[in-house]
Amino acid sequence: MKQSDTRSVAERIEALRHEIDQHNYHYYVEDAPRISDAEYDRLMNELIALEEAHPDLITPYSPTQRVGAAPASAFGSVRHAVMMRSLANAFDPEDVEAFDKRVSDALKGAGLLAARGDVDYMAELKFDGLAVSLRYEQGQLVQAATRGDGQTGEDITANVRTVRSVPLRLRGKDIPDVLEVRGEMLMTRRDFERLNAQQQQRREKIFVNPRNAAAGSLRQLDPRVTASRPLRFFAYGWGEIRLRRKDGQVDLFQQEAGDADMPRDTHSGMLEWIGELGLPVSDLRRRVKGLKGLLGYYEDISERRAELPFEIDGVVYKVDSLAAQDVLGYVARAPRYAVAHKFPAQEETTVVLDIDVQVGRTGALTPVARLKPVFVGGVTVTNATLHNEDEIRRKNIFIGDTVIVRRAGDVIPEVVASIPELRPENARAFTMPRACPVCGSAVERLEDEAATRCTGGLFCAAQRKQSITHAAGRKALDIEGLGEKLVDQLVESGRVQSLADLFTLNVLELSAYERMGRKSAENLVKAIDKARRPELSRLLFALGIRHVGETTAHDLAQHFGSLEAVMDADEEALLGVRDVGPVVAGSIRRFFAEPHNREIVRALQAAGVQPVHEAAPQSGSLPLAGKTLVLTGTLPTWTRDEATRHIMAAGGKVSGSVSKKTAYVVAGEEAGSKLEKARSLGVTVLDEDGLKALLGL
DNA sequence: CAGCCTCGAGTTCT
DNA sequence: CTCGAGGCTG
């Protein structure tokens, strides 16, 4: 009785283990789960309960054993049976062409390729994670190791056992005696974001990118921590392989042994075989022919890169035939039959040479990192804003530090994090100056504000220059030919002290400035004259009142109709304007209460500046009345401004961020995060033609 | 009062 | 483009 009980329990345990393994396989390898998470948990809980009642039946390959063993004090080292090599890199099509030519020539010489034939390649993704080697003996996972120096790596078996997409047992009938699988451990972007959100909540370390998160998770001395981290594994190669022969003898094959009796005779075939044994293999690999095939794959993957759930840093090309691989052999530490075609790096490390402080139009002191020039994402980056004091402290950046610089989806470089481990002894902490570096006025930092500001106001040359550049800008008075360089000269010479002084400039005196010929001076004077009849909203925006940007200036102009009315408006009147609250109203009142500012307005009027009333929006049923649209990417024929004008003319509004209230997102080439957001919120996405159709064009 | 929605401001390099 | 912050809404 007792005997049979135990046997049926053992059978049930084994059945549960098998079933759970199956579901892991469906989930991680086939990417097609067949049961809900809740059902999965139910199976797991039953197994845990049975094993707890019968500890003698626990085996190392049971799925319950993934929860993580007790912490270790250090990692042991593992010598790889077959070296883990690195790959040569290609950075542009010419490098790839050279690779293809070398391969073709060698294979033709060896009689493995017809004179005009194209080489068969296997192309696959180059995952941005950590290379690891998994060793299976008799079908069971017995060891996992990092790459290390290629010869010797660290023993991370206890950690890897917790990774669900790594099978603890191989599947299928013809299981090799020994199989070393090489592949990449990584984290999907979604899992990475979720993990970071969690880390933030628990006030624990935030990871810089998915690769660091994966690396940090694998290098935990406590496997229980690793067990809580969402790691994934993809196989792309192999090391030692021993197959069992029919006569019971064991055959030894190695990646470089050059044997005709591998289970399959191509690289792609081998990966299929590895997949059949239950290991996850990416299905974005493809067999292609010749140089054209390689470059076509690269282009295709480049386009799909953003949609991939995980990060890749390029693609890898391998000669598909194993016999051909043997002929090509190795050079130094890399095989001659393979190459990694890398995307332009989006992240690089460099050194912070210094931290300067810039003074902005509103007096905000902005620290800027001067970087050792570094090539990131296709351009050389030398500067990056550090925003403010808190940001520097948060990212723990010292002058002299090695830092990670990113040029993500957008264009603007960003210092992502510092690497304090590489901090030199003479590194200096940054301190915000107590006096403005431009005018020497005291600086202040208001409570609840991130910015430190110069108190000099328009006495400060930096603020004066930038307020004038701002007023001359395209969205303000739109004075063509008045750029930053010229404003610098005009202000430094003392000729221009305020916006009003611009309107007293003449051709003769302008010609005296650098890079100002007679012709340029004449054009500039004409442009300035044109600015004497600005739309009221543009003039209001040009004044540079704090918290009054393009939109608010427009609303104020519509509401009050004249500059005088805005100047004389009291708090209550201002609060009547939509989107104007106490802060904005106070800012406007303070601006016009300042005698200096009233004087500038008076001088502008004296110089003949007279705002014109803009056309009130037509009422009636316009096609986009009441709708908010968001533009992203580059449209084929319209500029952003043109599209905005058309939309506004049709009664619509253009906003910068996508939300549930957004009616349409108009996406062009290289649309970024806004397109993704639109999709996730289910907002209708249009192209330029779709927009034109709505407008009835 | 919290959470959402916008607006404003600052920023890089070619 | 992103972040911070003001204003509005539920």
Side-chain angles (χ1 to χ4, degrees), chain A residues 120-126 268 271 282-288 293-295 297-298 301 315-320:
Chain A
D120 283 318
Y121 290 104
M122 201 200 62
E124 60 191 344
L125 306 181
K126 185 172 190 315
S268 49
L271 287 186
S282 162
D283 50 15
L284 285 168
R285 65 190 196 281
R286 198 184 305 155
R287 293 185 61 171
V288 298
L294 296 179
L295 297 178
Y297 180 80
Y298 178 87
I301 296 297
V315 295
V316 175
Y317 312 134
K318 290 172 182 161
V319 173
D320 201 31

Side-chain angles (χ1 to χ4, degrees), chain A residues 225-281:
Chain A
V225 176
T226 311
S228 71
R229 301 283 172 79
L231 291 165
R232 297 286 189 128
F233 176 79
F234 284 105
Y236 54 67
W238 60 92
E240 186 182 3
I241 297 178
R242 293 186 203 206
L243 296 180
R244 203 176 321 214
R245 281 203 322 222
K246 293 228 171 64
D247 56 14
Q249 294 278 75
V250 165
D251 271 350
L252 171 63
F253 302 106
Q254 297 189 344
Q255 193 173 23
E256 51 202 314
D259 223 291
D261 294 328
M262 287 290 246
R264 308 286 159 91
D265 62 4
T266 58
H267 204 98
S268 49
M270 285 294 289
L271 287 186
E272 245 164 67
W273 177 69
I274 287 172
E276 286 160 17
L277 291 171
L279 286 146
V281 182

Side-chain angles (χ1 to χ4, degrees), chain A residues 105-277:
Chain A
D105 289 351
L107 294 186
K108 282 171 195 164
L112 285 172
L113 184 67
R116 324 193 115 230
D118 279 331
V119 181
D120 283 318
Y121 290 104
M122 201 200 62
E124 60 191 344
L125 306 181
K126 185 172 190 315
F127 303 101
D128 195 10
L130 278 97
V132 298
S133 182
L134 311 177
R135 186 176 175 90
Y136 290 87
E137 290 179 4
Q138 319 303 331
Q140 284 192 37
L141 177 67
V142 294
Q143 190 164 67
T146 62
R147 178 214 295 280
D149 63 3
Q151 301 277 4
T152 309
E154 282 178 324
D155 185 343
I156 50 168
T157 313
N159 287 337
V160 170
R161 293 180 59 84
T162 68
V163 177
R164 296 266 182 107
S165 58
V166 171
L168 298 176
R169 282 188 292 184
L170 298 179
R171 304 161 53 87
K173 288 194 285 283
D174 290 322
I175 289 183
D177 264 25
V178 174
L179 170 63
E180 264 184 27
V181 179
R182 305 282 160 80
E184 201 89 348
M185 212 50 101
L186 53 85
M187 203 176 278
T188 65
R189 276 194 278 258
R190 255 180 98 175
D191 284 339
F192 161 73
E193 272 154 30
R194 229 177 274 159
L195 172 64
N196 258 355
Q198 221 177 62
Q199 292 284 102
Q200 188 164 26
Q201 240 174 14
R202 298 182 190 160
R203 306 202 178 280
E204 286 184 60
K205 185 185 153 80
I206 302 286
F207 294 101
V208 172
N209 54 36
R211 188 168 48 84
N212 280 22
S217 302
L218 265 191
R219 296 205 78 264
Q220 289 292 328
L221 285 170
D222 185 348
R224 285 170 298 198
V225 176
T226 311
S228 71
R229 301 283 172 79
L231 291 165
R232 297 286 189 128
F233 176 79
F234 284 105
Y236 54 67
W238 60 92
E240 186 182 3
I241 297 178
R242 293 186 203 206
L243 296 180
R244 203 176 321 214
R245 281 203 322 222
K246 293 228 171 64
D247 56 14
Q249 294 278 75
V250 165
D251 271 350
L252 171 63
F253 302 106
Q254 297 189 344
Q255 193 173 23
E256 51 202 314
D259 223 291
D261 294 328
M262 287 290 246
R264 308 286 159 91
D265 62 4
T266 58
H267 204 98
S268 49
M270 285 294 289
L271 287 186
E272 245 164 67
W273 177 69
I274 287 172
E276 286 160 17
L277 291 171

Side-chain angles (χ1 to χ4, degrees), chain A residues 353-386:
Chain A
L353 301 174
D354 203 356
I355 298 179
D356 284 355
V357 174
Q358 284 178 0
V359 183
R361 171 168 67 89
T362 62
L365 268 60
T366 308
V368 179
R370 302 290 171 216
L371 304 169
K372 187 164 156 231
V374 60
F375 195 71
V376 187
V379 300
T380 304
V381 172
T382 52
N383 302 314
T385 176
L386 298 174

Side-chain angles (χ1 to χ4, degrees), chain A residues 479-552:
Chain A
I479 304 176
E480 225 177 297
L482 187 63
E484 205 181 315
K485 285 280 166 325
L486 185 59
V487 171
D488 278 3
Q489 293 181 57
L490 291 169
V491 171
E492 267 156 37
S493 73
R495 174 62 182 81
V496 171
Q497 308 264 10
S498 80
L499 183 54
D501 295 336
L502 282 181
F503 291 91
T504 65
L505 289 168
N506 63 52
V507 174
L508 192 66
E509 60 179 332
L510 272 173
S511 314
Y513 289 90
E514 267 171 57
R515 305 197 56 88
M516 259 285 131
R518 188 177 175 93
K519 189 77 196 162
S520 321
E522 279 172 6
N523 286 339
L524 179 57
V525 168
K526 260 187 228 153
I528 291 172
D529 194 45
K530 221 164 81 190
R532 286 193 164 89
R533 292 280 173 281
E535 285 173 342
L536 177 57
S537 61
R538 284 168 170 270
L539 181 61
L540 281 168
F541 178 59
L543 292 174
I545 306 165
R546 274 250 267 160
H547 298 124
V548 177
E550 222 187 331
T551 309
T552 308

